[in-house]
């Protein structure tokens, strides 16, 4: 198996995520990425306007270091560890995406219709990316965590709130893809 | 020393998100179409091993690298905030195709438009902080 150039199979990927969570647990920390968004807001001065951002952000410095690592890891993986960027999604999915206008389905890592510099000349692309991010940020804090905090670490500790949040993630995701995509794209 | 440890964990995380394709918008769309096992396999494997690790740490009272007790703080009991917040998060996850970890991985990978998603996520986080006391939890 070629772990350097080929995409990782699901079981290697899942094991790697479990290892990352274990390393954080053994460092006395909690695996949760969306908390960084709150810390970044505080660093931008949000604590002067809203009390929610007035917290001991220095206790979260370690997590910002993890984010810096995630950026470096993305650069390493994409530049020197990947020979083939196209994501081999199922042929049914490719067909559905093509009818929605995503011609890059099956041929790219991210849809060029949303994530290429040229695509930004369409104001709709900017709105889609901005509102997608906005919902993620708002929802993650409202639910008290995201995929890492709830779906991975919360569920690993049998937390009922995390199960409710994950059910919510799927209700929202299914609504978006099945009900709203035909209206948006 | 500790900073280096967290940096290495972060790099491993970034590589994993990219190589697993969990950072791919296409994989998220495919997951919500139930047309591949890939994402379910990733989350399922992480969860099974994660449950075992977490239970072992609790059962055997395993200490952290730095000798401290490992704390598991239970999540605050509620239904509304998790379901409503979860649905809002899911809508965004389905649209932007990236959750808060992979967003940063994609920035490192040079997909510059993801910066708009990150900016949106910061605005969303700020709006939550601002509206927090008026929202049902």
């Amino acid at each position: 198996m070629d772990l350097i150039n080929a995409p990782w199979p699901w079981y290697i990927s899942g094991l790697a995520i479990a290892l990352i969570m274990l390393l954080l647990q053994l460092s006395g920390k909690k695996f949760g990425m969306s908390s960084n968004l709150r810390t970044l807001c505080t660093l931008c001065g949000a604590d002067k306007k809203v009390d929610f951002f007035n917290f001991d952000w220095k206790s979260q410095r370690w997590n910002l270091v993890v984010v810096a690592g995630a950026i470096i890891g993305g650069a390493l993986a994409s530049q020197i560890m990947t020979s083939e960027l196209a994501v081999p999604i199922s042929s049914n999915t490719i067909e559905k995406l093509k009818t929605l206008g995503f011609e890059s389905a099956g041929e790219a890592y991210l849809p060029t219709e949303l994530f290429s510099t040229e695509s930004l000349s369409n104001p709709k692309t900017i709105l889609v990316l901005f509102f997608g991010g906005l919902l993620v940020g708002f929802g993650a804090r409202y639910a008290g965590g995201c995929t890492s905090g709830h779906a991975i670490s919360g569920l690993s500790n049998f937390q009922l709130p995390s199960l409710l949040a994950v059910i919510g993630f799927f209700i929202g995701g299914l609504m978006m893809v099945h009900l709203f995509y035909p209206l948006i794209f | 020393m500790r900073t280096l440890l967290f940096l290495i964990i972060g790099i491993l995380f970034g590589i994993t998100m990219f190589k697993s394709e969990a950072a791919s918008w296409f994989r998220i769309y495919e997951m919500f179409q139930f047309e591949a096992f890939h994402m379910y396999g990733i989350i399922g494997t992480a969860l099974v091993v994660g449950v075992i690790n977490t239970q072992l740490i609790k059962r055997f009272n395993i200490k952290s690298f730095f000798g401290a007790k490992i704390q598991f703080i239970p999540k605050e009991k509620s239904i509304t905030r998790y379901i409503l917040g979860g649905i809002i998060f899911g809508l965004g996850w389905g649209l932007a195709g990236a959750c808060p970890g992979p967003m940063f991985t994609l920035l490192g990978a040079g997909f510059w438009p993801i910066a708009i998603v990150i900016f949106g996520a910061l605005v969303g986080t700020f709006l939550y902080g601002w509206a927090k006391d008026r929202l049902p939890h």
Side-chain angles (χ1 to χ4, degrees):
Chain A
M1 186 167 31
D2 180 5
L3 289 182
I4 300 294
N5 288 308
W8 291 357
W10 54 269
Y11 48 94
I12 298 286
S13 309
L15 283 174
I17 294 171
L19 172 68
I20 289 154
M21 179 167 73
L22 179 66
L23 287 171
L24 285 173
Q25 286 173 327
L26 291 177
S27 307
K29 304 296 183 196
K30 248 188 72 201
F31 185 30
M33 295 306 292
S34 64
S35 318
N36 291 304
L37 296 168
R38 184 188 182 197
T39 314
L40 288 171
C41 280
T42 302
L43 287 176
C44 292
D47 54 329
K48 291 179 193 77
K49 297 249 184 277
V50 176
D51 209 40
F52 177 68
F53 298 101
N54 199 348
F55 73 111
D56 177 22
W57 67 269
K58 286 188 179 162
S59 68
Q60 283 287 313
R61 251 188 318 206
W62 67 271
N63 216 347
L64 292 179
V65 176
V66 175
V67 169
I71 296 175
I72 299 170
L76 290 175
S78 63
Q79 300 307 315
I80 55 175
M81 292 177 69
T82 303
S83 51
E84 177 56 61
L85 276 175
V87 176
I89 48 174
S90 88
S91 50
N92 280 344
T93 310
I94 293 177
E95 244 168 76
K96 280 180 190 159
L97 282 169
K98 291 210 164 155
T99 56
L100 286 172
F102 289 95
E103 292 297 328
S104 60
E107 287 155 26
Y109 194 86
L110 294 182
T112 52
E113 290 80 3
L114 286 175
F115 292 95
S116 65
T117 326
E118 301 81 66
S119 69
L120 296 183
S121 56
N122 184 350
K124 191 177 125 187
T125 309
I126 297 180
L127 286 176
V128 164
L129 296 175
F130 178 76
F131 280 103
L134 187 124
L135 292 166
V136 166
F138 189 96
R141 247 352 353 93
Y142 196 176
C146 60
T147 331
S148 51
H150 278 310
I152 310 286
S153 56
L155 286 185
S156 289
N157 191 26
F158 303 130
Q159 294 289 303
L160 181 65
S162 294
L163 182 63
L164 297 175
V166 173
I167 292 170
F169 295 169
F170 269 85
I171 295 174
L174 291 172
M175 278 167 48
M176 177 52 71
V177 161
H178 295 274
L179 298 178
F180 299 130
Y181 264 39
L183 304 172
I184 299 172
F185 298 110
Chain B
M1 215 25 235
R2 289 193 191 192
T3 303
L4 188 64
L5 171 70
F6 291 123
L7 190 67
I8 291 169
I9 295 174
I11 292 174
L12 185 62
F13 178 65
I15 292 175
T16 303
M17 286 300 103
F18 195 87
K19 297 296 287 182
S20 67
E21 297 172 342
S24 168
W25 184 98
F26 290 121
R27 284 292 188 196
I28 308 303
Y29 178 85
E30 183 188 50
M31 170 178 79
F32 288 128
Q33 291 286 355
F34 300 106
E35 282 172 336
F37 177 70
H38 189 78
M39 288 302 300
Y40 297 98
I42 294 176
I43 299 174
T45 309
L47 208 51
V48 169
V49 182
V51 165
I52 296 170
N53 291 342
T54 304
Q55 297 314 311
L56 286 176
I57 290 172
K58 286 177 148 181
R59 182 75 46 89
F60 297 102
N61 217 347
I62 295 171
K63 296 274 188 288
S64 80
F65 293 139
F66 315 116
K69 183 175 165 38
I70 295 176
Q71 310 262 6
F72 291 95
I73 303 151
K75 305 255 182 213
E76 166 202 332
K77 293 259 180 302
S78 161
I79 295 176
T80 322
R81 72 172 295 181
Y82 297 113
I83 294 288
L84 285 183
I87 290 174
I88 295 170
F89 177 89
L91 287 167
W93 193 17
L95 185 58
C99 43
M103 276 178 197
F104 292 99
T105 300
L106 291 171
L107 188 67
F111 293 101
W112 308 124
I114 199 73
I116 301 172
V117 179
I118 296 175
F119 176 68
L122 290 171
V123 173
T125 305
F126 180 78
L127 285 178
Y128 169 76
W130 174 76
K132 186 175 178 282
D133 297 333
R134 274 155 281 181
L135 294 170
H137 282 76

